[in-house]
Amino acid sequence: MAEMALYRYPCPNCNTELEQEGYMVIESEDEEPTRQLLNDEINLAECPNCNQTSRLNIPLLYHDNQQELFIVYVPNLSQLAPEQLADTIRYPYGLLVTKEAERRGIELPEVDDAAYPPGQEELKNQPGAKFHALTQEQAAQLLPEYLLRPTIVDTFEVLRTAVQAAMDGMTGQEVVDDMVRLQLINNIISAEDPIARRKVLHHAEPYLNDELFEVIDTLSEQMHNEGQNELMEKLQWVREQIEKYKHSQKQRLARSHSKQAEFVKETTKETTKETTKEDLKED
Ligand SMILES: [Zn+2]
């Protein structure tokens, strides 16, 4: 079930104080909010003063328990320190995981009273309290892994694309892998110099495979159809950079293999010589 909350915030255009209900959690089976999300109509407010429409500046958690996709949209993510990020999503995150645990029949241990100092006892009754009280080990034992490492994005369009992909039948893992690939392509394009680019490629080695080329080719085709030739050329350039990198890695590997082979040859020769000497001695 989707969860909403009432938010107050200043209109980004004219600063008028706005009050608007917005979604903080959407489950894939919530048809109406999911439709709004896919149509880019979710969490929008129109200012009565200047008529400008803006999106609520709040996190939005999307969960698909069939495909095991858990994605969190956090606007202005780059401006948040890790603790601020944790604080921002703490309440809806606890709510979502607690519900999913219940749905799966997973019992979370009771919270120890001692964990709540006087004056904070009411926190114990918050919906996510049991989840937040778990140690990392407990959480890892009790809950499916995907619930413990949601994918956090700061671009609404990325959230929308991921939700659409899951609805089209991709698993959460496939969706996340594709997001990593898109991010990688982006990082290759925006690397400042060849050395930075090499580093990006080096870190992403497990991803430099046919699936990545497939994504690049699909994107290229799309750019071609949309007449975005400059982007298409960039993508082809990315492909060439990856191929070049892989080629040089292969050569390096071959070189070290042939060195090994030589080493083996040398040592064998040595052994043979020694044997011959030994033989001679015996003779
Ligand atoms: Zn306004």
Side-chain angles (χ1 to χ4, degrees):
M1 254 273 290
E3 298 284 345
M4 300 188 86
L6 191 65
Y7 296 96
R8 274 190 201 89
Y9 73 111
C11 166
N13 187 40
C14 72
N15 244 6
T16 301
E17 193 72 16
L18 303 177
E19 200 178 67
Q20 168 84 29
E21 245 199 339
Y23 287 99
M24 53 180 177
V25 177
I26 298 176
E27 296 276 349
S28 54
E29 65 258 28
D30 303 321
E31 281 175 28
E32 179 51 24
T34 301
R35 189 194 63 76
Q36 284 182 20
L37 195 164
L38 291 173
N39 289 340
D40 197 2
E41 294 163 356
I42 200 88
N43 287 359
L44 294 179
E46 196 186 325
C47 172
N49 184 42
C50 71
N51 292 327
Q52 181 163 306
T53 304
S54 56
R55 173 160 284 120
L56 296 184
N57 193 21
I58 53 165
L60 174 58
L61 284 65
Y62 181 87
H63 178 222
D64 184 330
N65 63 24
Q66 297 295 313
Q67 308 295 53
E68 303 204 327
L69 173 71
F70 181 13
I71 183 162
V72 180
Y73 162 65
V74 182
N76 308 318
L77 177 64
S78 62
Q79 290 158 35
L80 298 179
E83 316 82 64
Q84 284 176 307
L85 171 64
D87 276 351
T88 310
I89 63 174
R90 183 184 165 87
Y91 180 72
Y93 187 15
L95 210 62
L96 187 152
V97 176
T98 306
K99 277 199 175 169
E100 183 58 18
E102 269 168 33
R103 208 188 57 83
R104 289 174 182 246
I106 299 168
E107 287 258 4
L108 300 180
E110 287 301 323
V111 180
D112 191 353
D113 281 325
Y116 293 94
Q120 289 185 20
E121 291 96 345
E122 79 279 8
L123 284 177
K124 194 186 162 210
N125 300 318
Q126 270 196 1
K130 283 186 193 171
F131 166 63
H132 290 304
L134 296 177
T135 63
Q136 270 187 0
E137 292 77 34
Q138 283 176 317
Q141 265 173 10
L142 288 165
L143 296 160
E145 205 200 342
Y146 83 95
L147 283 177
L148 303 177
R149 40 171 193 83
T151 305
I152 297 172
V153 303
D154 64 354
T155 314
F156 183 78
E157 198 47 39
V158 175
L159 169 71
R160 199 162 74 133
T161 310
V163 171
Q164 184 64 60
M167 298 201 79
D168 290 343
M170 277 171 81
T171 66
Q173 189 58 55
E174 287 167 342
V175 172
V176 170
D177 282 346
D178 258 5
M179 283 165 67
V180 173
R181 288 185 190 109
L182 291 176
Q183 188 64 53
L184 172 60
I185 292 170
N186 210 16
N187 290 348
I188 294 172
I189 291 176
S190 55
E192 276 173 18
D193 52 47
I195 293 176
R197 188 166 65 235
R198 212 185 145 70
K199 255 187 209 161
V200 169
L201 287 163
H202 183 68
H203 283 298
E205 255 174 35
Y207 276 95
L208 306 181
N209 51 23
D210 287 344
E211 274 112 334
L212 178 62
F213 287 135
E214 237 171 73
V215 171
I216 294 176
D217 292 343
T218 312
L219 277 174
S220 293
E221 200 186 322
Q222 199 179 324
M223 294 303 133
H224 177 71
N225 292 342
E226 290 174 7
Q228 306 212 47
N229 289 327
E230 205 178 308
L231 275 175
M232 193 183 85
E233 277 164 26
K234 255 192 194 150
L235 286 164
Q236 285 315 310
W237 178 83
V238 167
R239 201 184 209 287
E240 281 162 25
Q241 298 310 311
I242 297 170
E243 274 165 354
K244 245 192 234 169
Y245 178 83
K246 289 192 74 164
H247 185 69
S248 74
Q249 288 302 92
K250 216 184 261 174
Q251 278 188 328
R252 183 186 297 177
L253 211 65
R255 268 204 302 275
S256 76
H257 274 171
S258 74
K259 261 187 208 150
Q260 263 174 22
E262 249 162 57
F263 176 74
V264 173
K265 240 191 276 166
E266 286 302 316
T267 19
T268 334
K269 246 191 252 164
E270 289 294 321
T271 331
T272 328
K273 260 188 243 160
E274 269 168 35
T275 326
T276 331
K277 260 186 261 164
E278 290 297 319
D279 289 347
L280 287 171
K281 265 187 216 162
E282 268 170 38
D283 280 348

